[in-house]
Amino acid sequence: MVFRKPPDGGWGWVIVVVSFFTQFLCYGSPLAVGVLYLEWLDAFGEGKGKTAWVGSLANGIGLLASPVCSICVSSFGARPVAIFSGFMVAGGLMMSSFAPNIYFLYVSYGIVVGLGCGLLYTATVTITCQYFDKRRGLALGLISTGSSVGLFIYAALQRALIELYGLDGCLLIVGALSLNILACGSLMRPLESSDSPPPEKTCSDKVPDQYFVYHEKEKTVEENISILEKGYIDEKCVNNVPDSKQDSILNKNVLSSINVNEKDTYKKKVVEQTNLCKQLAKKKWQLYLNYWEETMVLFKNKVFSALFVAIFLFDIGGFPPSLLMEDIARSADINEDDYHVPLISIIGIMTTVGKLTLGILADFKWVNTLYLYVTTLVMMGAALFAIPFAKSYLTLAMLSGILGFLTGNWSIFPYVTTKTVGIEKLTHAYGILMFFAGLGNSLGPPIVGWFYDWTQEYDTAFYFSGFCVLLGGFLLLLAALPCWNACTNQNSKLPPNTYSYKVASSA
């Protein structure tokens, strides 16, 4: 398969539109799960920490399984994976409407829907990158807003559906809406069919050298027969031996020659197969060793190590508000009549604004993306500390907007990673960071819920969340300070092919 040059337009804009709606349809309900969270608390009567696992799994399992998702898209293509994942998301949502207990939701909503979302995210990003090169940043920015718009709309939609049809009816309708992912996936036409296909390979070129041994038996027998026939004719010309006697001698020679050659060929084939298996095992083992060596080299970069801690703590402390903000308002005894817009919807729309604004700022040469990212972490920590003091809808709405805007720092996180480890190691480093981001997403809401179960109030929980985010921000800032880098360079040299983040340079 030979791929054409990315057209940076044409059908690529169709890909952008369908990818936007794919992320809108698949991530709308999981990101707005806070509305469902309240209903599950009342329906099953479980603790807040145990119930929070449902939403945290749905949002974290896709990041945790990101290596598997990448392998699936690479092996089968974006279109088949998108269609299959559409069935997963829709089926998981519909199954959740029949959940008899919270443990069933862990599987149907947390794992099935979460894994489907992870596969769809990988598929949409992959197919978009194939169609765009020069405008890739714009295309990826447009499709990434689909999840935020989905959060904004689904928060109000799910609340209205619950009032009209109940929790079970809401999940059935949302699952039916998710079937539109199948239509979007069918439009993800792969970019292939080059205008000038490569010349067709001959049969011998298509077969690897190590497999020629399997045909050696037939080849050897044919050669031996031809040689013996030639020898038979020559010998018959020289010696006047009767034909019947000559034929019997020839048959014996052919049979003995074939038996000997069969044994030799079989032994040779076994040796070749054994050597091939040994070589494959050795290559696989070498790949694993190289992967771990490269991982160790990455963690020797102090800025990368601090970035790994920061993203993990950020997701532990920064993700719970998007899941629990509605329950925070209910715990503060805020009258539902005062609700003009769901708090989760405010978070969603401001996340979209934050992604676009921070992404634009990161493109300015005078802006250092690492300092910008640290600033968002410090501000988010301060906003989390302020949540316990918010006792009205207006203050909670303002804090929701601030938290949503700062959550948009996901759009600059790839910039920070690239400047830290270099473009050559971006894929490896980003995969590691996303795994721990998913782990933080999965652990954050249950931890906050457990704090509430122990103390019967959210104050301590959000003090803990704010402390986690602030700690990650200060550790990252400390690792990137010029004086720290100077001391490190004097004491030890960085391993080859690693990069130290120079905060004085433009990002």
Side-chain angles (χ1 to χ4, degrees):
M1 182 182 294
V2 179
F3 290 96
R4 295 200 309 262
K5 183 180 179 182
D8 281 298
W11 192 260
W13 294 118
V14 178
I15 297 295
V16 169
V17 172
V18 298
S19 297
F20 172 89
F21 280 105
T22 297
Q23 293 201 17
F24 170 86
L25 292 167
C26 74
Y27 276 107
S29 181
L31 289 177
V33 72
V35 176
L36 304 175
Y37 171 75
L38 298 177
E39 302 299 323
W40 288 329
L41 284 174
D42 298 334
F44 300 115
E46 300 287 352
K48 294 182 185 294
K50 186 182 290 187
T51 308
W53 271 111
V54 181
S56 62
L57 284 174
N59 287 278
I61 200 73
L63 292 174
L64 289 172
S66 55
V68 178
C69 298
S70 299
I71 292 172
C72 290
V73 174
S74 299
S75 302
F76 304 106
R79 178 192 281 174
V81 169
I83 294 174
F84 175 77
S85 303
F87 280 113
M88 286 185 65
V89 173
L93 289 169
M94 293 179 180
M95 287 169 55
S96 300
S97 65
F98 303 101
N101 52 54
I102 199 70
Y103 303 103
F104 187 91
L105 286 173
Y106 290 164
V107 178
S108 63
Y109 197 98
I111 297 178
V112 176
V113 175
L115 186 58
C117 291
L119 288 168
L120 285 168
Y121 177 81
T122 306
T124 53
V125 170
T126 301
I127 192 71
T128 303
C129 290
Q130 290 176 2
Y131 271 86
F132 288 90
D133 183 16
K134 295 179 181 178
R135 301 177 180 177
R136 184 174 296 168
L138 173 62
L140 291 175
L142 290 174
I143 69 170
S144 68
T145 59
S147 58
S148 301
V149 175
L151 169 58
F152 173 73
I153 293 178
Y154 268 74
L157 175 64
Q158 290 184 146
R159 174 179 289 181
L161 290 175
I162 289 172
E163 293 176 356
L164 292 174
Y165 305 106
L167 177 61
D168 298 342
C170 171
L171 289 171
L172 282 173
I173 294 173
V174 170
L177 288 174
S178 299
L179 289 173
N180 289 288
I181 296 173
L182 307 182
C184 295
S186 64
L187 294 173
M188 294 181 182
R189 186 173 63 195
L191 184 67
E192 47 185 78
S193 64
S194 176
D195 296 333
S196 57
E200 186 70 20
K201 291 185 178 180
T202 62
C203 295
S204 59
D205 292 335
K206 291 179 180 179
V207 181
D209 295 336
Q210 61 265 30
Y211 294 111
F212 281 129
V213 66
Y214 297 110
H215 304 286
E216 219 170 18
K217 174 180 176 181
E218 293 80 5
K219 182 179 177 183
T220 306
V221 172
E222 292 173 359
E223 287 179 352
N224 287 335
I225 292 175
S226 63
I227 292 171
L228 287 170
E229 287 177 349
K230 182 178 179 182
Y232 166 68
I233 295 172
D234 294 341
E235 189 175 355
K236 190 173 181 180
C237 294
V238 176
N239 302 323
N240 294 323
V241 182
D243 290 341
S244 59
K245 186 176 180 181
Q246 190 73 22
D247 290 339
S248 63
I249 295 173
L250 177 60
N251 290 335
K252 289 181 181 180
N253 291 334
V254 169
L255 290 174
S256 61
S257 176
I258 289 175
N259 290 334
V260 171
N261 283 300
E262 281 183 347
K263 292 179 181 179
D264 293 342
T265 304
Y266 177 75
K267 291 179 180 179
K268 191 173 182 180
K269 182 167 65 173
V270 171
V271 172
E272 289 284 345
Q273 288 177 328
T274 305
N275 291 335
L276 179 62
C277 292
K278 289 181 178 178
Q279 290 175 1
L280 289 175
K282 187 177 180 180
K283 288 181 179 179
K284 287 287 185 182
W285 180 249
Q286 190 62 40
L287 288 175
Y288 289 133
L289 288 179
N290 292 340
Y291 178 84
W292 288 112
E293 287 177 0
E294 291 175 3
T295 302
M296 292 300 102
V297 169
L298 285 174
F299 278 100
K300 289 180 181 178
N301 185 335
K302 290 181 173 58
V303 179
F304 176 81
S305 299
L307 192 62
F308 143 74
V309 176
I311 190 65
F312 178 67
L313 294 176
F314 167 75
D315 280 280
I316 286 181
F319 177 66
S322 63
L323 176 61
L324 303 173
M325 190 60 77
E326 297 295 326
D327 191 48
I328 294 170
R330 187 169 71 171
S331 301
D333 296 326
I334 296 176
N335 190 356
E336 293 186 1
D337 296 335
D338 296 335
Y339 273 63
H340 304 293
V341 180
L343 296 175
I344 299 180
S345 295
I346 297 174
I347 292 177
I349 196 64
M350 289 305 297
T351 300
T352 304
V353 176
K355 286 179 179 179
L356 295 175
T357 304
L358 294 174
I360 293 171
L361 286 175
D363 287 334
F364 289 107
K365 294 183 179 181
W366 52 269
V367 174
N368 187 292
T369 49
L370 183 61
Y371 282 162
L372 181 62
Y373 186 74
V374 170
T375 301
T376 61
L377 295 183
V378 174
M379 292 176 65
M380 176 168 280
L384 290 170
F385 274 119
I387 288 179
F389 301 99
K391 302 300 180 182
S392 66
Y393 172 80
L394 180 60
T395 53
L396 282 176
M398 293 175 59
L399 288 174
S400 297
I402 294 172
L403 290 172
F405 180 87
L406 297 173
T407 305
N409 62 5
W410 276 99
S411 63
I412 64 173
F413 190 73
Y415 285 77
V416 179
T417 308
T418 304
K419 290 294 183 179
T420 302
V421 301
I423 191 65
E424 297 85 357
K425 299 184 180 181
L426 175 62
T427 303
H428 186 184
Y430 201 72
I432 295 173
L433 294 172
M434 287 302 99
F435 175 83
F436 285 99
L439 187 61
N441 267 347
S442 301
L443 294 177
I447 290 175
V448 172
W450 289 330
F451 269 110
Y452 185 92
D453 293 336
W454 294 333
T455 62
Q456 295 302 309
E457 44 87 16
Y458 276 116
D459 296 358
T460 307
F462 281 100
Y463 290 146
F464 170 78
S465 297
F467 173 76
C468 287
V469 176
L470 283 175
L471 178 63
F474 282 124
L475 287 176
L476 183 57
L477 178 62
L478 180 63
L481 285 176
C483 58
W484 174 257
N485 286 332
C487 295
T488 304
N489 292 332
Q490 289 178 0
N491 295 331
S492 61
K493 294 183 178 180
L494 285 173
N497 299 326
T498 57
Y499 300 84
S500 175
Y501 197 105
K502 298 180 180 180
V503 295
S505 62
S506 61

